[in-house]
Amino acid sequence: MGQAREVMDRLTSAMNAKDREMLAGCYAANAVAYTPDQGELRGRDAITGYLFHFWEAIPDVRYELVEKHDAGDVAIDEGVVGGMNTGPLTLPSGETLPATGKQIRIRSCDIARVEGGEITSHHFYFDQMEFMTQLGLMRELMSH
């Protein structure tokens, strides 16, 4: 198993254990993430803050791995993010929506480049429409 795979597996463990310190330690201080909903995030603090937000909105969030691949300094995970929305959800606009109480199961894909034992680049892919539809928020968002 390569270093990229080891770091990505540690990141998944940190997410599922809600271990903030371990999660932050997976990222380089100057890491960059690319997200479908928040765009480009620069720095460990911005990226971990983005992920912590999901813990607040979906406290029981779990990542179920479907496929994992790695080649050299890149690891790719395909999986399903699931949980119940019991906390407030902050939208990219800064608006906060109250918890919906809805269960979600969203397909996702993560591609991470690792250098020196830390993620330097992380691409998050998930379908925002699928996410908002499962939360029952599409009607609310369309009226804003």
Side-chain angles (χ1 to χ4, degrees), residues 87-133:
L89 179 69
T90 303
L91 300 175
S93 66
E95 271 186 278
T96 301
L97 296 175
T100 64
K102 303 243 184 198
Q103 191 75 30
I104 62 156
R105 284 187 53 78
I106 308 297
R107 293 164 293 143
S108 71
C109 182
D110 295 272
I111 303 171
R113 180 171 305 280
V114 173
E115 295 170 26
E118 297 176 317
I119 298 170
T120 56
S121 171
H122 191 160
H123 293 252
F124 293 88
Y125 296 99
F126 64 89
D127 186 331
Q128 293 180 77
M129 189 74 82
E130 182 180 36
F131 181 64
M132 292 303 190
T133 299

Short mmCIF file of all heavy atoms in Angstrom, two decimals, residues 87-133:
data_model
loop_
_atom_site.label_atom_id
_atom_site.label_comp_id
_atom_site.label_asym_id
_atom_site.label_seq_id
_atom_site.Cartn_x
_atom_site.Cartn_y
_atom_site.Cartn_z
N GLY A 87 -28.97 18.85 12.18
CA GLY A 87 -28.38 20.13 12.55
C GLY A 87 -28.60 21.15 11.44
O GLY A 87 -28.97 20.80 10.32
N PRO A 88 -28.35 22.43 11.72
CA PRO A 88 -28.53 23.46 10.70
C PRO A 88 -27.55 23.28 9.55
O PRO A 88 -26.43 22.84 9.74
CB PRO A 88 -28.28 24.76 11.45
CG PRO A 88 -27.50 24.39 12.65
CD PRO A 88 -27.86 22.97 12.98
N LEU A 89 -28.00 23.62 8.35
CA LEU A 89 -27.18 23.49 7.15
C LEU A 89 -26.90 24.89 6.61
O LEU A 89 -27.82 25.65 6.32
CB LEU A 89 -27.93 22.66 6.10
CG LEU A 89 -27.24 22.44 4.78
CD1 LEU A 89 -26.03 21.53 4.97
CD2 LEU A 89 -28.20 21.83 3.78
N THR A 90 -25.61 25.21 6.48
CA THR A 90 -25.23 26.51 5.95
C THR A 90 -25.03 26.37 4.44
O THR A 90 -24.28 25.51 3.98
CB THR A 90 -23.93 27.02 6.61
OG1 THR A 90 -24.14 27.06 8.02
CG2 THR A 90 -23.58 28.41 6.10
N LEU A 91 -25.70 27.21 3.70
CA LEU A 91 -25.61 27.21 2.24
C LEU A 91 -24.41 28.04 1.80
O LEU A 91 -23.92 28.88 2.56
CB LEU A 91 -26.89 27.79 1.64
CG LEU A 91 -28.18 27.06 1.98
CD1 LEU A 91 -29.37 27.83 1.42
CD2 LEU A 91 -28.14 25.65 1.42
N PRO A 92 -23.94 27.83 0.56
CA PRO A 92 -22.82 28.63 0.04
C PRO A 92 -23.07 30.13 0.14
O PRO A 92 -22.15 30.92 0.29
CB PRO A 92 -22.70 28.18 -1.42
CG PRO A 92 -23.23 26.79 -1.42
CD PRO A 92 -24.33 26.78 -0.38
N SER A 93 -24.35 30.55 0.12
CA SER A 93 -24.69 31.97 0.20
C SER A 93 -24.49 32.52 1.61
O SER A 93 -24.55 33.72 1.81
CB SER A 93 -26.16 32.16 -0.21
OG SER A 93 -27.00 31.53 0.76
N GLY A 94 -24.30 31.61 2.59
CA GLY A 94 -24.17 32.04 3.97
C GLY A 94 -25.47 31.89 4.75
O GLY A 94 -25.49 31.96 5.96
N GLU A 95 -26.57 31.68 4.02
CA GLU A 95 -27.87 31.44 4.67
C GLU A 95 -27.82 30.12 5.43
O GLU A 95 -27.15 29.18 5.02
CB GLU A 95 -28.97 31.29 3.61
CG GLU A 95 -29.64 32.55 3.19
CD GLU A 95 -30.79 32.22 2.25
OE1 GLU A 95 -30.52 32.04 1.06
OE2 GLU A 95 -31.94 32.13 2.72
N THR A 96 -28.55 30.04 6.53
CA THR A 96 -28.62 28.80 7.30
C THR A 96 -30.04 28.27 7.23
O THR A 96 -31.00 29.00 7.47
CB THR A 96 -28.23 29.05 8.77
OG1 THR A 96 -26.92 29.58 8.80
CG2 THR A 96 -28.26 27.77 9.56
N LEU A 97 -30.14 26.99 6.89
CA LEU A 97 -31.44 26.34 6.84
C LEU A 97 -31.58 25.44 8.06
O LEU A 97 -30.62 24.76 8.44
CB LEU A 97 -31.58 25.51 5.56
CG LEU A 97 -31.55 26.27 4.25
CD1 LEU A 97 -31.57 25.30 3.08
CD2 LEU A 97 -32.75 27.21 4.17
N PRO A 98 -32.76 25.39 8.66
CA PRO A 98 -32.96 24.51 9.81
C PRO A 98 -32.88 23.04 9.39
O PRO A 98 -33.07 22.71 8.22
CB PRO A 98 -34.36 24.87 10.31
CG PRO A 98 -35.04 25.52 9.17
CD PRO A 98 -33.97 26.13 8.31
N ALA A 99 -32.62 22.18 10.35
CA ALA A 99 -32.54 20.74 10.09
C ALA A 99 -33.84 20.24 9.46
O ALA A 99 -34.92 20.70 9.82
CB ALA A 99 -32.26 20.00 11.39
N THR A 100 -33.71 19.31 8.54
CA THR A 100 -34.88 18.75 7.86
C THR A 100 -35.34 17.44 8.50
O THR A 100 -36.47 17.03 8.27
CB THR A 100 -34.56 18.46 6.38
OG1 THR A 100 -33.55 17.45 6.32
CG2 THR A 100 -34.11 19.71 5.66
N GLY A 101 -34.45 16.79 9.24
CA GLY A 101 -34.77 15.48 9.80
C GLY A 101 -34.78 14.37 8.76
O GLY A 101 -35.17 13.25 9.03
N LYS A 102 -34.31 14.69 7.56
CA LYS A 102 -34.31 13.70 6.46
C LYS A 102 -33.01 12.91 6.43
O LYS A 102 -31.94 13.42 6.74
CB LYS A 102 -34.49 14.40 5.12
CG LYS A 102 -35.74 15.23 5.05
CD LYS A 102 -36.66 14.72 4.02
CE LYS A 102 -37.84 15.69 3.96
NZ LYS A 102 -38.95 15.17 3.35
N GLN A 103 -33.15 11.67 6.02
CA GLN A 103 -32.01 10.77 5.83
C GLN A 103 -31.46 10.99 4.42
O GLN A 103 -32.25 11.15 3.48
CB GLN A 103 -32.51 9.32 5.98
CG GLN A 103 -31.44 8.28 6.08
CD GLN A 103 -30.75 8.27 7.44
OE1 GLN A 103 -31.35 8.59 8.45
NE2 GLN A 103 -29.50 7.92 7.45
N ILE A 104 -30.14 10.99 4.28
CA ILE A 104 -29.53 11.13 2.94
C ILE A 104 -28.59 9.97 2.66
O ILE A 104 -28.04 9.36 3.58
CB ILE A 104 -28.76 12.46 2.79
CG1 ILE A 104 -27.59 12.53 3.78
CG2 ILE A 104 -29.68 13.66 2.92
CD1 ILE A 104 -26.48 13.44 3.34
N ARG A 105 -28.42 9.68 1.38
CA ARG A 105 -27.40 8.74 0.88
C ARG A 105 -26.94 9.31 -0.46
O ARG A 105 -27.65 9.20 -1.45
CB ARG A 105 -27.97 7.34 0.70
CG ARG A 105 -28.16 6.59 2.02
CD ARG A 105 -28.56 5.15 1.83
NE ARG A 105 -27.70 4.36 0.95
CZ ARG A 105 -26.51 3.85 1.29
NH1 ARG A 105 -26.01 4.05 2.48
NH2 ARG A 105 -25.80 3.14 0.43
N ILE A 106 -25.77 9.95 -0.45
CA ILE A 106 -25.26 10.65 -1.62
C ILE A 106 -23.99 9.97 -2.12
O ILE A 106 -23.06 9.73 -1.36
CB ILE A 106 -24.90 12.11 -1.24
CG1 ILE A 106 -26.07 12.81 -0.56
CG2 ILE A 106 -24.41 12.89 -2.45
CD1 ILE A 106 -27.30 12.97 -1.38
N ARG A 107 -23.96 9.69 -3.41
CA ARG A 107 -22.75 9.13 -4.01
C ARG A 107 -21.67 10.20 -4.08
O ARG A 107 -21.98 11.37 -4.32
CB ARG A 107 -23.06 8.62 -5.43
CG ARG A 107 -23.98 7.42 -5.42
CD ARG A 107 -24.58 7.15 -6.79
NE ARG A 107 -25.47 8.27 -7.11
CZ ARG A 107 -25.61 8.78 -8.32
NH1 ARG A 107 -24.95 8.31 -9.33
NH2 ARG A 107 -26.44 9.80 -8.52
N SER A 108 -20.44 9.80 -3.85
CA SER A 108 -19.35 10.78 -3.89
C SER A 108 -18.08 10.14 -4.43
O SER A 108 -17.94 8.92 -4.46
CB SER A 108 -19.09 11.36 -2.49
OG SER A 108 -18.48 10.38 -1.67
N CYS A 109 -17.17 11.00 -4.83
CA CYS A 109 -15.86 10.57 -5.30
C CYS A 109 -14.84 11.59 -4.80
O CYS A 109 -15.09 12.80 -4.84
CB CYS A 109 -15.82 10.48 -6.82
SG CYS A 109 -14.24 9.88 -7.47
N ASP A 110 -13.73 11.10 -4.28
CA ASP A 110 -12.67 11.96 -3.77
C ASP A 110 -11.36 11.59 -4.45
O ASP A 110 -11.03 10.40 -4.55
CB ASP A 110 -12.50 11.77 -2.26
CG ASP A 110 -13.71 12.22 -1.50
OD1 ASP A 110 -13.76 13.41 -1.17
OD2 ASP A 110 -14.62 11.39 -1.24
N ILE A 111 -10.63 12.60 -4.89
CA ILE A 111 -9.32 12.39 -5.50
C ILE A 111 -8.33 13.26 -4.73
O ILE A 111 -8.49 14.48 -4.66
CB ILE A 111 -9.31 12.77 -6.99
CG1 ILE A 111 -10.38 11.96 -7.74
CG2 ILE A 111 -7.92 12.57 -7.58
CD1 ILE A 111 -10.60 12.40 -9.17
N ALA A 112 -7.35 12.60 -4.12
CA ALA A 112 -6.39 13.33 -3.29
C ALA A 112 -4.96 13.07 -3.74
O ALA A 112 -4.59 11.92 -4.00
CB ALA A 112 -6.55 12.93 -1.82
N ARG A 113 -4.18 14.13 -3.82
CA ARG A 113 -2.75 14.04 -4.11
C ARG A 113 -2.02 14.20 -2.78
O ARG A 113 -2.31 15.12 -2.01
CB ARG A 113 -2.32 15.13 -5.09
CG ARG A 113 -0.83 15.07 -5.44
CD ARG A 113 -0.49 16.02 -6.57
NE ARG A 113 -1.30 15.79 -7.76
CZ ARG A 113 -1.07 14.84 -8.67
NH1 ARG A 113 -0.06 14.02 -8.51
NH2 ARG A 113 -1.84 14.72 -9.73
N VAL A 114 -1.09 13.30 -2.51
CA VAL A 114 -0.37 13.28 -1.23
C VAL A 114 1.11 13.51 -1.47
O VAL A 114 1.72 12.89 -2.37
CB VAL A 114 -0.59 11.92 -0.51
CG1 VAL A 114 0.27 11.81 0.72
CG2 VAL A 114 -2.07 11.75 -0.17
N GLU A 115 1.68 14.41 -0.69
CA GLU A 115 3.12 14.66 -0.73
C GLU A 115 3.61 14.76 0.71
O GLU A 115 2.99 15.44 1.53
CB GLU A 115 3.43 15.96 -1.48
CG GLU A 115 3.05 15.91 -2.95
CD GLU A 115 3.13 17.27 -3.62
OE1 GLU A 115 3.90 18.14 -3.15
OE2 GLU A 115 2.40 17.47 -4.61
N GLY A 116 4.68 14.07 1.02
CA GLY A 116 5.25 14.14 2.37
C GLY A 116 4.29 13.68 3.46
O GLY A 116 4.31 14.19 4.56
N GLY A 117 3.42 12.73 3.14
CA GLY A 117 2.50 12.18 4.13
C GLY A 117 1.28 13.04 4.40
O GLY A 117 0.55 12.77 5.35
N GLU A 118 1.04 14.08 3.58
CA GLU A 118 -0.12 14.96 3.77
C GLU A 118 -0.81 15.22 2.43
O GLU A 118 -0.16 15.26 1.39
CB GLU A 118 0.31 16.30 4.35
CG GLU A 118 0.95 16.22 5.73
CD GLU A 118 1.46 17.56 6.21
OE1 GLU A 118 2.07 18.31 5.41
OE2 GLU A 118 1.24 17.87 7.39
N ILE A 119 -2.11 15.42 2.49
CA ILE A 119 -2.87 15.75 1.28
C ILE A 119 -2.56 17.19 0.90
O ILE A 119 -2.71 18.09 1.72
CB ILE A 119 -4.38 15.56 1.51
CG1 ILE A 119 -4.69 14.10 1.83
CG2 ILE A 119 -5.18 16.05 0.30
CD1 ILE A 119 -6.11 13.84 2.29
N THR A 120 -2.12 17.39 -0.34
CA THR A 120 -1.84 18.74 -0.83
C THR A 120 -2.94 19.25 -1.75
O THR A 120 -3.11 20.45 -1.92
CB THR A 120 -0.49 18.79 -1.58
OG1 THR A 120 -0.53 17.84 -2.64
CG2 THR A 120 0.67 18.47 -0.63
N SER A 121 -3.69 18.33 -2.35
CA SER A 121 -4.77 18.68 -3.26
C SER A 121 -5.88 17.65 -3.11
O SER A 121 -5.61 16.44 -3.14
CB SER A 121 -4.25 18.70 -4.70
OG SER A 121 -5.32 18.83 -5.62
N HIS A 122 -7.11 18.12 -2.91
CA HIS A 122 -8.25 17.21 -2.72
C HIS A 122 -9.42 17.71 -3.55
O HIS A 122 -9.86 18.85 -3.39
CB HIS A 122 -8.63 17.18 -1.23
CG HIS A 122 -9.60 16.10 -0.88
ND1 HIS A 122 -9.74 15.65 0.40
CD2 HIS A 122 -10.48 15.39 -1.62
CE1 HIS A 122 -10.67 14.69 0.43
NE2 HIS A 122 -11.13 14.53 -0.79
N HIS A 123 -9.87 16.86 -4.46
CA HIS A 123 -11.04 17.17 -5.28
C HIS A 123 -12.21 16.38 -4.73
O HIS A 123 -12.15 15.15 -4.67
CB HIS A 123 -10.80 16.80 -6.74
CG HIS A 123 -9.77 17.64 -7.41
ND1 HIS A 123 -10.10 18.59 -8.34
CD2 HIS A 123 -8.43 17.70 -7.27
CE1 HIS A 123 -8.99 19.19 -8.75
NE2 HIS A 123 -7.97 18.66 -8.10
N PHE A 124 -13.26 17.09 -4.29
CA PHE A 124 -14.49 16.47 -3.79
C PHE A 124 -15.52 16.52 -4.91
O PHE A 124 -15.74 17.58 -5.49
CB PHE A 124 -15.06 17.28 -2.61
CG PHE A 124 -14.23 17.27 -1.37
CD1 PHE A 124 -13.23 18.22 -1.19
CD2 PHE A 124 -14.45 16.34 -0.36
CE1 PHE A 124 -12.47 18.25 -0.03
CE2 PHE A 124 -13.69 16.36 0.80
CZ PHE A 124 -12.70 17.31 0.97
N TYR A 125 -16.16 15.40 -5.18
CA TYR A 125 -17.22 15.36 -6.18
C TYR A 125 -18.46 14.73 -5.57
O TYR A 125 -18.39 13.65 -5.00
CB TYR A 125 -16.80 14.54 -7.40
CG TYR A 125 -15.64 15.13 -8.16
CD1 TYR A 125 -14.35 14.65 -7.97
CD2 TYR A 125 -15.84 16.17 -9.06
CE1 TYR A 125 -13.27 15.19 -8.65
CE2 TYR A 125 -14.77 16.72 -9.75
CZ TYR A 125 -13.49 16.22 -9.54
OH TYR A 125 -12.44 16.77 -10.22
N PHE A 126 -19.58 15.46 -5.61
CA PHE A 126 -20.89 14.91 -5.26
C PHE A 126 -21.93 15.75 -5.98
O PHE A 126 -21.68 16.88 -6.35
CB PHE A 126 -21.12 14.87 -3.74
CG PHE A 126 -21.17 16.21 -3.07
CD1 PHE A 126 -22.37 16.90 -2.96
CD2 PHE A 126 -20.02 16.78 -2.55
CE1 PHE A 126 -22.41 18.15 -2.32
CE2 PHE A 126 -20.05 18.02 -1.92
CZ PHE A 126 -21.24 18.70 -1.80
N ASP A 127 -23.09 15.16 -6.17
CA ASP A 127 -24.17 15.82 -6.90
C ASP A 127 -24.97 16.69 -5.94
O ASP A 127 -25.69 16.19 -5.08
CB ASP A 127 -25.04 14.74 -7.54
CG ASP A 127 -26.12 15.30 -8.45
OD1 ASP A 127 -26.59 16.45 -8.21
OD2 ASP A 127 -26.52 14.59 -9.39
N GLN A 128 -24.82 18.00 -6.08
CA GLN A 128 -25.53 18.94 -5.20
C GLN A 128 -27.04 18.81 -5.34
O GLN A 128 -27.77 18.95 -4.36
CB GLN A 128 -25.14 20.38 -5.55
CG GLN A 128 -23.71 20.72 -5.25
CD GLN A 128 -23.44 22.15 -5.63
OE1 GLN A 128 -23.83 23.05 -4.90
NE2 GLN A 128 -22.81 22.38 -6.77
N MET A 129 -27.51 18.55 -6.56
CA MET A 129 -28.94 18.40 -6.79
C MET A 129 -29.47 17.18 -6.03
O MET A 129 -30.52 17.26 -5.38
CB MET A 129 -29.21 18.24 -8.30
CG MET A 129 -30.67 18.30 -8.65
SD MET A 129 -31.32 19.98 -8.55
CE MET A 129 -30.80 20.62 -10.11
N GLU A 130 -28.73 16.09 -6.07
CA GLU A 130 -29.10 14.88 -5.34
C GLU A 130 -29.15 15.18 -3.83
O GLU A 130 -30.09 14.79 -3.13
CB GLU A 130 -28.08 13.78 -5.64
CG GLU A 130 -28.37 12.45 -4.98
CD GLU A 130 -27.32 11.40 -5.32
OE1 GLU A 130 -26.12 11.71 -5.43
OE2 GLU A 130 -27.72 10.22 -5.45
N PHE A 131 -28.16 15.90 -3.34
CA PHE A 131 -28.06 16.26 -1.92
C PHE A 131 -29.27 17.08 -1.49
O PHE A 131 -29.97 16.76 -0.53
CB PHE A 131 -26.75 17.01 -1.68
CG PHE A 131 -26.49 17.42 -0.26
CD1 PHE A 131 -26.32 16.47 0.73
CD2 PHE A 131 -26.39 18.76 0.08
CE1 PHE A 131 -26.05 16.86 2.05
CE2 PHE A 131 -26.12 19.15 1.38
CZ PHE A 131 -25.97 18.20 2.37
N MET A 132 -29.55 18.17 -2.21
CA MET A 132 -30.65 19.07 -1.86
C MET A 132 -32.02 18.40 -2.04
O MET A 132 -32.92 18.64 -1.24
CB MET A 132 -30.57 20.36 -2.67
CG MET A 132 -29.38 21.20 -2.32
SD MET A 132 -29.37 21.60 -0.56
CE MET A 132 -28.09 22.80 -0.49
N THR A 133 -32.15 17.56 -3.06
CA THR A 133 -33.42 16.86 -3.29
C THR A 133 -33.70 15.90 -2.15
O THR A 133 -34.82 15.85 -1.62
CB THR A 133 -33.39 16.12 -4.64
OG1 THR A 133 -33.21 17.09 -5.69
CG2 THR A 133 -34.68 15.35 -4.88
#
